Amino acid sequence: MIQLIRGFKDILPGEAGLWQHVEGTAARLFATFGYGEIRVPIMEKTELFARSIGEETDIVEKEMYTFADRGGDTLTLRPEATASIVRAYIQHKMYAGDPVHKLYTIGPMFRRERPQKGRYRQFYQIDAEVFGIAGPYIDAQMIHMLHLLFQHLAVTDVHTHLNSLGCPACRPRFREALLAMLDGVTDQLCPDCRRRKDRNPLRVLDCKVPACREAVADAPAIVDYLCADCQAHFATVTRALDQLQVPYTLDKRLVRGLDYYTRTTFELQTGVLGAQSAVAGGGRYDGLVEALGGPATPAIGFAVGFDRLVEILSRQHTMAARPPALYIAALGDAAKEQAFRWAAELLEAGIQVEMEHGDKSLKAQMKRADRLGAGHVLIVGEAELAAGVLVLRDMQTKAQRELPVAGVTAALGALLQSARNSGDDGNIS
Ligand SMILES: [Zn+2]
Ligand SMILES: [Zn+2]
């Protein structure tokens, strides 16, 4: 039997309800904040990711699914969404007229990482980007919106880590100080860091190898090197978060190694899954739109790890499938033909109906209705049809009532619609 690819997974109907719940919650919240949905392809020219994510990152060096297509182009399954959204922003000249655009997208990303529990090579992200706003309040508002997303999903153990990366004016000074410090500990660094250190010393700060973490424990903090403008920007962001009572920790290790990443950078962490782990991350990238060939445009964005969010939610909630309002137990061919037509009528009216398609005894059909959690069962046998009176059983109270065949769907429609309106709608619990 052919199995799915290692590192990939199926999302089965029982779990898909949670995914829909998260998607719906994010879409409603983001719409309130003025974000519109954008859907970009899952594949782009490799060059786009190489240029935007950076040649010297783990993602580009080791993790991308890259292949030559039959026309000779080199294509890559997107490892993240920002690059594609920036490309779309530039390609469709979305900056013309009003440069301010707030966009979000939800979908699969692909990275060939070492498979481990809870990590998939096709993983999902909720991604939001804002273009055209340089001021600091949008940074705080984005972090606020992220916190609200977790609040709306009832994930409470979430904490923001925050840092500023400065700008091209002030970062070189920090880079020099960092490089001087790293030169003293070179022999303690992992091979990757030793190789990258001179071209991209900031990357060492965010290396996960324990020896590297220890070696940079006393590294200088970038916030001590900010220029006056970057300082003022960061002060406003933190003050705004204080006012909104969004908790955060200043974290000097939180860096991104590429020049177009600027100023505010953040990561949301949670301890729900055991050790602290990141569930969302983002920051400003004021230089990226220009680096990819667009006009100089400030921008900021974040990505939420959808898989991990669902994993957290699945520990806290179950998502019950909505049970059918009615199960029609039909006995005999004539009854089944009649039941089929009634079921179709009720389904057209939006009422969830199930019926037996095989030849089962009444007892077996009642058992199935029970297992499905059906609200009511309509019993349709040859005798009932001949008498012109059907039996409707309320599965909760076990009460039975008789319904005349004439006008039965209208009667059922009214009855089941009102039962459904007052009942549980298959919501998260
Ligand atoms: Zn600066
Ligand atoms: Zn390292």
Side-chain angles (χ1 to χ4, degrees):
M1 184 250 130
I2 299 170
Q3 305 254 344
L4 54 60
I5 312 166
R6 186 160 184 234
F8 287 67
K9 73 163 178 179
D10 299 311
I11 299 162
L12 301 176
E15 198 190 349
L18 272 180
W19 289 73
Q20 289 168 357
H21 176 66
V22 173
E23 279 169 2
T25 304
R28 277 189 301 275
L29 178 68
F30 294 177
T32 307
F33 278 78
Y35 289 70
E37 187 181 9
I38 182 169
R39 299 190 186 195
V40 285
I42 59 163
M43 214 186 281
E44 300 272 0
K45 290 180 182 160
T46 303
E47 191 194 350
L48 176 68
F49 301 117
R51 273 173 62 189
S52 64
I53 300 169
E55 306 270 10
E56 283 162 57
T57 54
D58 280 350
I59 298 175
V60 172
E61 280 180 351
K62 305 173 189 167
E63 296 170 357
M64 293 202 306
Y65 278 97
T66 296
F67 58 95
D69 93 339
R70 287 168 198 274
D73 289 327
T74 304
L75 306 179
T76 294
L77 292 177
R78 63 180 183 190
E80 51 112 71
T82 304
S84 306
I85 296 177
V86 172
R87 180 203 43 73
Y89 180 79
I90 298 168
Q91 182 170 348
H92 302 289
K93 295 192 170 56
M94 293 171 76
Y95 48 80
D98 185 358
V100 176
H101 284 270
K102 300 181 192 170
L103 306 169
Y104 79 91
T105 198
I106 302 176
M109 313 293 155
F110 303 84
R111 289 183 200 176
R112 203 175 187 290
E113 289 186 272
R114 198 167 55 83
Q116 45 181 311
K117 199 183 167 297
R119 289 261 182 141
Y120 298 97
R121 290 175 167 182
Q122 175 176 330
F123 59 99
Y124 290 75
Q125 285 187 342
I126 302 171
D127 187 277
E129 317 285 347
V130 173
F131 295 97
I133 302 178
Y137 286 109
I138 192 68
D139 307 23
Q141 192 186 59
M142 240 186 176
I143 295 169
H144 182 218
M145 184 172 85
L146 256 178
H147 271 261
L148 286 177
L149 175 64
F150 288 101
Q151 248 175 49
H152 289 187
L153 293 169
V155 178
T156 47
D157 178 14
V158 175
H159 196 83
T160 296
H161 288 238
L162 192 65
N163 198 12
S164 173
L165 300 181
C167 68
C170 56
R171 196 160 33 199
R173 225 159 48 85
F174 169 72
R175 204 184 131 108
E176 262 169 52
L178 179 62
L179 207 48
M181 181 265 160
L182 290 176
D183 279 338
V185 296
T186 306
D187 49 348
Q188 298 169 43
L189 302 177
C190 75
D192 277 346
C193 285
R194 246 177 280 165
R195 182 167 52 83
R196 291 171 180 156
K197 163 177 83 76
D198 292 310
R199 299 246 319 251
N200 203 339
L202 268 74
R203 287 273 333 207
V204 180
L205 287 179
D206 116 268
C207 180
K208 301 286 182 281
V209 175
C212 294
R213 293 192 72 98
E214 207 170 299
V216 299
D218 298 323
I222 199 163
V223 288
D224 296 333
Y225 289 80
L226 299 180
C227 66
D229 285 350
C230 288
Q231 251 175 41
H233 186 101
F234 198 50
T236 305
V237 173
T238 53
R239 197 169 58 243
L241 291 175
D242 289 337
Q243 282 164 355
L244 298 172
Q245 295 184 310
V246 172
Y248 62 87
T249 305
L250 299 182
D251 186 344
K252 69 176 183 180
R253 285 175 187 275
L254 204 58
V255 293
R256 305 211 210 182
L258 295 160
D259 285 345
Y260 58 78
Y261 286 120
T262 50
R263 297 189 169 168
T264 314
T265 187
F266 53 91
E267 189 172 279
L268 272 70
Q269 299 186 357
T270 179
V272 175
L273 298 176
Q276 285 289 319
S277 58
V279 280
R284 262 195 184 275
Y285 52 93
D286 288 345
L288 182 57
V289 176
E290 195 174 16
L292 290 179
T297 307
I300 180 169
F302 66 73
V304 180
F306 203 143
D307 305 72
R308 226 172 290 181
L309 189 52
V310 169
E311 195 188 339
I312 292 168
L313 287 175
S314 67
R315 294 185 181 202
Q316 301 178 343
H317 310 281
T318 53
M319 197 81 201
R322 198 170 75 196
L326 180 71
Y327 184 93
I328 304 182
L331 298 154
D333 288 344
K336 197 173 291 173
E337 192 179 332
Q338 185 60 262
F340 173 75
R341 288 208 304 273
W342 287 335
E345 256 182 71
L346 291 166
L347 287 165
E348 274 182 24
I351 293 165
Q352 197 181 337
V353 180
E354 292 287 342
M355 65 175 281
E356 173 56 46
H357 290 263
D359 290 312
K360 296 272 171 62
S361 68
L362 180 61
K363 195 176 158 204
Q365 295 194 48
M366 293 303 284
K367 230 170 147 177
R368 174 134 198 276
D370 202 39
R371 203 167 52 235
L372 291 171
H376 290 78
V377 174
L378 183 71
I379 299 164
V380 188
E382 315 274 328
E384 282 83 1
L385 285 178
V389 179
L390 307 168
V391 175
L392 183 71
R393 184 179 168 92
D394 184 321
M395 295 297 279
Q396 215 144 43
T397 64
K398 309 294 177 205
Q400 300 203 150
R401 72 162 91 182
E402 297 191 330
L403 283 181
V405 166
V408 70
T409 49
L412 280 170
L415 196 87
L416 298 172
Q417 204 79 59
S418 70
R420 191 185 136 187
N421 289 344
S422 62
D424 181 19
D425 216 21
N427 278 329
I428 195 163
S429 60

